[in-house]
Amino acid sequence: MRNYQTMLNNGDTLPIIGMGTYSGENDRETTETAVRTAIKMGYRHFDTAKIYGSELAVGNALRRAIHDGLVEREDIHVTSKLWSSDHHDPVTALQQTLQRLGMEYIDMYLVHWPVALKPWVDYPIPAEEDFEELDMENTWSGMERCLEMGLCRSIGVSNFSSTKIQHLLDFACVTPVVNQVEMHPMWRQRKLRSICREYGIHVSAYSPLGGPGNAWGTTTVVDHPIIQSIAHKHNATPAQVALRWGLCQGSSVIVKSFNMRRMKENMGALHLKLDEWDLIDINKMEERKIMRGEWLSNHTTSPYRTIQELWDDEI
């Protein structure tokens, strides 16, 4: 797997395929089994978050795998995220994450969303009255303290638009290493990738298949005739084509499946080669921001206006 890594702007490396651990069921035993299976398959990046409720299971599985000699700690990359109700104190939030993981440090800590919620909001879909004003300068200062204290090796952001990235850089002493956003062949994030490239920020794609199986996702990406045709041409699967497209953009991808067959299938994207004509055809696909942004707008008491702004300036 050492050949399948990318260099970040602080000199650390990041595996280009990561395993997401969000699960609606959030069953600890299922998550632990999936993580252990993933390690045996070669996965080395594990993505979690406080709001996922999976930190305890991920930590248990990784510590057991290290104890059993399946992997060394220095060969694993663990990412977690600052939830929006913890913006006032990133240090304490990360210390609590480390306690749940049973680790002394994590490799990367991300600001999950560029919005602030009241301190008691511990659910993923907040109501109108749950929001409060965000002081991003204070939040990022706390993230930088996490780095200085050795609680994490890298800091970054998630779901930040081009405008919000540029605003952050107005006061940041440490440039974020990563911006993790939804990205796939039907939401290609051209503007955002260009801005991030300009500042040396790596773009990592979540929902790289369009989020099938999630409340906000659909199978539109993997069912698209162009993706299906390219898959047939290369004797590959539509999922592998979509993932390889993301990798071809210089991004890493975070895939979420606890199904052994699909986990193995996703890793197969590393060995797929797309040609120039494949990439041209994919760029002809109609872009539809149909996933999380639209779903959030339709499933909250407010229009989720604070987060919807992310899509208004072409995240």
Side-chain angles (χ1 to χ4, degrees):
M1 286 293 292
R2 291 187 181 277
N3 294 330
Y4 301 112
Q5 299 185 2
T6 189
M7 183 75 73
L8 302 177
N9 63 28
N10 64 351
D12 279 355
T13 56
L14 177 72
I16 59 176
I17 287 193
M19 180 186 184
T21 60
Y22 168 79
S23 169
E25 295 77 21
N26 195 24
D27 180 78
R28 186 183 302 177
E29 184 176 344
T30 301
T31 302
E32 288 186 26
T33 300
V35 170
R36 187 175 179 89
T37 300
I39 291 171
K40 293 178 179 178
M41 288 183 178
Y43 286 86
R44 292 296 180 266
H45 178 196
F46 297 90
D47 181 90
T48 183
K50 172 186 175 179
I51 199 64
Y52 297 169
S54 62
E55 289 175 331
L56 190 61
V58 170
N60 286 344
L62 293 178
R63 292 196 317 275
R64 188 170 297 125
I66 292 168
H67 177 268
D68 293 346
L70 290 178
V71 69
E72 300 291 331
R73 172 62 184 96
E74 55 267 27
D75 293 330
I76 341 178
H77 188 102
V78 181
T79 295
S80 194
K81 307 178 190 75
L82 176 77
W83 180 234
S84 299
S85 60
D86 294 324
H87 278 264
H88 61 287
D89 191 358
V91 171
T92 298
L94 180 48
Q95 288 171 333
Q96 292 171 350
T97 278
L98 292 174
Q99 187 174 18
R100 287 187 291 269
L101 287 166
M103 294 182 171
E104 296 181 356
Y105 71 92
I106 57 173
D107 299 273
M108 189 157 62
Y109 197 41
L110 307 180
V111 177
H112 206 153
W113 288 94
V115 296
L117 300 173
K118 292 174 181 175
W120 59 83
V121 179
D122 60 356
Y123 36 88
I125 306 298
E128 177 86 18
E129 61 271 17
D130 293 332
F131 290 92
E132 61 183 24
E133 186 175 353
L134 171 64
D135 181 353
M136 192 60 215
E137 187 168 357
N138 182 66
T139 297
W140 194 248
S141 176
M143 296 291 286
E144 291 175 339
R145 285 197 299 275
C146 291
L147 192 62
E148 292 166 3
M149 293 170 66
L151 303 178
C152 57
R153 293 173 58 92
S154 303
I155 53 176
V157 296
S158 181
N159 299 299
F160 272 52
S161 65
S162 304
T163 299
K164 287 179 171 59
I165 286 287
Q166 291 172 314
H167 171 64
L168 172 61
L169 294 175
D170 286 340
F171 51 78
C173 295
V174 177
T175 300
V177 297
V178 158
N179 186 12
Q180 187 185 113
V181 296
E182 182 176 343
M183 176 180 138
H184 45 71
M186 296 186 73
W187 193 356
R188 296 190 281 277
Q189 302 283 20
R190 288 187 187 88
K191 177 182 176 182
L192 181 64
R193 285 192 283 121
S194 176
I195 292 292
C196 287
R197 187 182 308 115
E198 180 180 345
Y199 294 108
I201 300 169
H202 175 76
V203 174
S204 187
Y206 70 73
S207 295
L209 305 180
N214 291 330
W216 63 84
T218 77
T219 60
T220 305
V221 173
V222 292
D223 288 344
H224 196 285
I226 288 177
I227 298 294
Q228 295 267 340
S229 174
I230 295 171
H232 179 74
K233 168 184 169 182
H234 292 287
N235 194 27
T237 67
Q240 289 170 341
V241 171
L243 293 175
R244 188 69 230 185
W245 173 84
L247 298 176
C248 286
Q249 311 315 304
S251 299
S252 56
V253 294
I254 308 295
V255 290
K256 206 295 290 180
S257 178
F258 291 174
N259 176 282
M260 186 179 300
R261 180 185 61 80
R262 288 196 293 271
M263 289 163 66
K264 184 176 181 180
E265 173 188 339
N266 291 337
M267 287 293 280
L270 292 170
H271 309 294
L272 175 63
K273 303 295 183 185
L274 298 182
D275 60 40
E276 180 182 356
W277 298 110
D278 298 330
L279 298 176
I280 290 172
D281 285 342
I282 290 173
N283 282 334
K284 295 175 183 175
M285 292 169 61
E286 178 187 3
E287 289 205 71
R288 294 177 61 197
K289 300 174 184 180
I290 56 175
M291 309 303 174
R292 185 175 297 207
E294 181 177 300
W295 186 88
L296 287 170
S297 295
N298 293 336
H299 289 78
T300 53
T301 54
S302 74
Y304 219 90
R305 63 170 182 262
T306 314
I307 290 181
Q308 190 62 34
E309 291 173 3
L310 301 177
W311 284 271
D312 290 343
D313 77 326
E314 295 182 41
I315 184 171

